Structures are given as C-alpha cells and as structure tokens.
Amino acid sequence: MDSARTHTSPSADAGTPATHRRALATEAVHAGRDDLVGRGLHAPPIDLSTTYPSYDSRGEAARIDAFAATGAEPEGPPVYGRLGNPTVARFETALARLEGTGAAVAFASGMAALSAVLLVRGSMGLRHVVAVRPLYGCSDHLLTAGLLGSEVTWTDPAGVADALRPDTGLVLVESPANPTLAETDLRAVAHACGTVPLLVDNTFATPVLQRPAEHGARLVLHSATKYLGGHGDVLAGVVACDEEFAGRLRQVRFATGGVLHPLAGYLLLRGLSTLPVRVRAASAGAAELAARLADDPRVGRVHYPRIGGAMVSFEVHGDPHDVVRRVRLITPAVSLGSVDTLIQHPASISHRIVDADDRRGAGVGDRLLRLSVGLEDVDDLWADLDGALGKRGNVAAPGRETLSRTE
Ligand SMILES: *Cc1c(COP(=O)(O)O)cnc(C)c1O
C-alpha cells in the first residue's frame, strides 16, 4: 500500500508537476493543511465560532440563497455554525483526498451520516433501500425499523440487480462487514446497481486498504469514531462522495442539525495523519493473532479478510462470555479502531438490536467474538488471549479448523 497514489493532487502545490500524484501516506499528513505555511502556522487553527459577523446583510442573503440552491460550502465565513465550519472542512478535505472523491461531509456520528444519506434519497421519493447483511447492528436496525421511512430489501451481493425497483434510492453494503468480516466484490455490486448509488461502509477497511470510489461506489461512509479518529475519543461520521451529492448532504445537515463539533474535526484531522501507520501496524498484529487463533484447539472458525485489516473475529468452543470476563490487557468494550485492543460479543452488544434469527442468518453466531487489534506488542496480546481462552483441553474440541478467508 506504500505506493498507493491518491486521485487528486492539490492545486496549491505549485512546486510539484501537475501530473505527480502524491502517495496516500503523504496526503494523510498534508491534506487539509495546504494553506498553513502561507498563513504562518504549523498546527491547524480551531475555529469555535457558532456565528460569523457581517455588516452586509444583502451579501449574507445571497450566500444563504446560494447554499439553498446547491449546498455548496459558502465562500468565506459560513454565516452560522450549522452551515459549515473551517476546522471541520479541513478534515473533510483531507478525507476526500484519501478516498479519491470530490468532497466529503462530516457528521456528529456514523449513524447521523447514514441518516443524512437516507434523508437525501427519501426526500427525492426514493425510499427503497437494497442492503446486504451483515451490517453494523444499528445500521441494520435503522433500515429494518424504517425509522426514517425507508423500506429495505435484504439480499446477497448476487441478488442486488434483481432487488432493484423504480423507487430504489440506495444500495448499501459493508466490506469487510461488521462483525463477520465477509467481503463483497465491490466492482461487481457497483455494476449491478446501474444508476442507483452504491454506498459502501468503509469503516473497517479505511482508505488505506480499500478505496471503494475506485470500484464504482458513489458514496463511501465511515464511522470516523473508529480508525479515522483512532484513539477512542471522538464520535463522528463522514460521507465521501461527489460534490453534487455532498451539496445535498450539507443541506440535510443544515436542516437536521447533525453537525460535527470543531474540536472533533481537529482531532480527526490529527488522527488522519497517522492513519496509514496505525492501520498497517495493527493489521500486522491482527494477521499474526488470526494465525495463532486458527491454530488453537479452543477456537473454531477464525475470520480474517483477504485485504487484511486490524479486525479479527472468531468462534470459541467454550463460553464466549468467559473469554470477555477473563481478559486483562485487552479491554472488554464495544467499538473498534483505537490504539488499544478491544474485544466484544456481537450477539450481546454490537448486534443485539438485530432480530436473533436475522443475526444468526447473517453469520453472527452466539459463539462469535470480535477483536479490534490495537498497537500493543503481539506477544502480550496473545498471552492475554491465551489466558482468557481458558485451559487447553477443557473443551470437547470438535475438529480443528483452519483460518477461513472470507469471500
Ligand atoms: C460503529 C459503526 C457505525 C456507526 O457509527 P457511529 O459513529 O457509532 O454512529 C457504522 N458502521 C460501522 C461499520 C460501524 O462499525
């Protein structure tokens, strides 16, 4: 991935030939900061303003009209904090650069981001959603319960084309999926979607491992709470997409209020600068732990994606609640993508809100545990897991199973 080049090169870098594309690792550190040197700054400023003074109300009226027409970010100060924020905009610019899209729009959480997408499409009379299970538990719930007036058809990736209707506004997949790490052929699904926008939840892969827009996804969603923030201290969501869709998302964000706080925007921009390093280091640890788990008689199936990543899920032959109870170094907690390692039982926590039959049908079994591998030493993590798994030979071990690379 070191050689991965991002799509757009910043217009501001006059010293670099226009054809040169900066590598992802470079964009991660510099995107969203292009103006800093010219302003005599090193760290990005934090703008906490909720309102922006102006003696020119005619000018403000024109800017508000322009925003109402296109949703384009106002030139100059944002009028009011719900229209936009310069610190948050830096994070949006940087994430769009990393995902290779024209724009990105940040929200108060991943769920606020998904809600805004559903509201944009619903407001156009396109309320039907085609989705592939498993999804993050709350995304599944939002669609199944129809909280925003949407109607969902669940299908597998091969069934997407047949599930489309004239009122289908969105196709939704997660790859690798939460929590089974099942992978979807994004290019094939994007093709099956035709003109219907494909939204890929890229939270688990991050743009370091996968850039869905390159495979035909129109919308790329992140729970930025996870890897983008990366330190377990920011709740946020973001949608990377083309400028036209971004305008509609900004209008919905303005009207419904799910804005990201500027301090969170600052922390996310800072998080992005170490994203490639964190994801690569944690992935190396996760791959090693996946191999050790697959070789362990106390463990059944182990799920680890082909594209890699820092998430591992595995089924235990014993009681999964005992494993959660016994960890000491690893933190027993929901969420993922932090510098420290977390473990949780999806059937009890992250996917509890999904109907039990639907959950099991999507491969989220009652013995499945989900591990989000952090940056600790892998032998220390293994020592903790080893202890938490309990005595060897304590379980009636059905035949040992090997690491399964999920499709
Ligand atoms: C956590 C998560 C979400 C929801 O994001 P929040 O920031 O918690 O609202 C959506 N998708 C995936 C894959 C997630 O892991």
Side-chain angles (χ1 to χ4, degrees):
M1 278 298 139
D2 287 3
S3 59
R5 303 271 149 186
T6 51
H7 262 319
T8 43
S9 54
S11 50
D13 61 342
T16 314
T19 52
H20 181 80
R21 275 213 244 157
R22 287 177 171 181
L24 188 95
T26 307
E27 291 285 22
V29 173
H30 288 278
R33 300 166 189 252
D34 294 340
D35 62 325
L36 292 184
V37 173
R39 297 176 63 182
L41 296 174
H42 187 223
I46 303 175
D47 181 345
L48 293 172
S49 303
T50 54
T51 190
Y52 294 86
S54 170
Y55 290 103
D56 175 15
S57 356
R58 280 199 192 84
E60 297 300 277
R63 280 141 49 73
I64 290 168
D65 286 351
F67 182 80
T70 66
E73 202 108 49
E75 296 280 332
V79 184
Y80 184 62
R82 214 163 358 85
L83 271 84
N85 173 273
T87 310
V88 171
R90 289 181 185 278
F91 162 65
E92 293 170 331
T93 300
L95 196 265
R97 207 74 71 67
L98 296 183
E99 285 290 3
T101 57
V105 184
F107 293 88
S109 69
M111 293 315 302
L114 179 56
S115 297
V117 172
L118 294 173
L119 289 170
V120 164
R121 300 303 282 167
S123 69
M124 300 166 85
L126 303 168
R127 300 186 178 283
H128 180 239
V129 177
V130 173
V132 175
R133 277 194 169 117
L135 295 179
Y136 169 65
C138 212
S139 305
D140 187 314
H141 172 65
L142 180 63
L143 294 172
T144 305
L147 293 178
L148 294 171
S150 52
E151 183 197 337
V152 61
T153 300
W154 297 101
T155 182
D156 55 17
V160 165
D162 287 341
L164 299 179
R165 309 194 315 213
D167 64 338
T168 305
L170 194 68
V171 175
L172 178 49
V173 303
E174 252 177 51
S175 184
N178 186 350
T180 62
L181 307 174
E183 286 170 281
T184 300
D185 180 341
L186 298 181
R187 200 174 289 280
V189 173
H191 185 257
C193 289
T195 57
V196 177
L198 170 64
L199 183 151
V200 174
D201 185 327
N202 204 32
T203 299
F204 274 33
T206 82
V208 178
L209 300 176
Q210 167 177 281
R211 283 175 294 281
E214 291 174 0
H215 302 294
R218 183 161 181 208
L219 304 158
V220 182
L221 183 135
H222 284 273
S223 168
T225 312
K226 315 296 169 53
Y227 291 100
L228 305 188
H231 296 73
D233 53 7
V234 183
L235 203 61
V238 64
V239 180
C241 57
D242 53 86
E243 175 54 32
E244 188 198 333
F245 207 105
R248 294 183 183 275
L249 287 171
R250 288 188 205 101
Q251 288 170 335
V252 165
R253 184 176 64 178
F254 173 62
T256 59
V259 295
L260 185 69
H261 193 275
L263 286 174
Y266 177 88
L267 287 171
L268 288 171
L269 184 68
R270 189 162 82 161
L272 286 187
S273 56
T274 54
L275 181 71
V277 176
R278 285 188 283 108
V279 168
R280 252 180 258 121
S283 295
E288 174 61 28
L289 291 177
R292 292 189 194 182
L293 287 166
D295 220 21
D296 195 292
R298 297 163 295 183
V299 174
R301 219 164 152 213
V302 177
H303 305 264
Y304 188 68
R306 286 178 199 276
I307 64 164
M311 301 298 297
V312 182
S313 50
F314 58 100
E315 281 145 38
V316 289
H317 295 312
D319 185 344
H321 302 287
D322 284 343
V323 179
V324 171
R325 198 163 42 78
R326 289 191 198 119
V327 288
R328 288 297 171 265
L329 174 65
I330 298 168
T331 303
V334 73
S335 198
L336 56 117
S338 186
V339 288
D340 60 321
T341 300
L342 310 179
I343 195 166
Q344 63 109 19
H345 181 237
S348 297
I349 306 189
S350 65
H351 289 68
R352 187 70 192 171
I353 201 162
V354 180
D355 172 81
D357 287 338
D358 291 340
R359 190 169 66 223
R360 291 180 191 124
V364 187
D366 293 346
R367 285 170 186 262
L368 186 77
L369 288 166
R370 191 190 73 188
L371 188 69
S372 166
V373 180
L375 299 175
E376 301 94 333
D377 179 86
V378 73
D379 289 327
D380 289 339
L381 289 174
W382 178 250
D384 196 33
L385 268 182
D386 187 34
L389 284 167
K391 288 201 181 67
R392 284 166 192 266
N394 219 6
V395 287
R400 222 174 67 184
E401 289 174 58
T402 46
L403 179 59
S404 87
R405 301 269 174 174
T406 43
E407 281 308 325

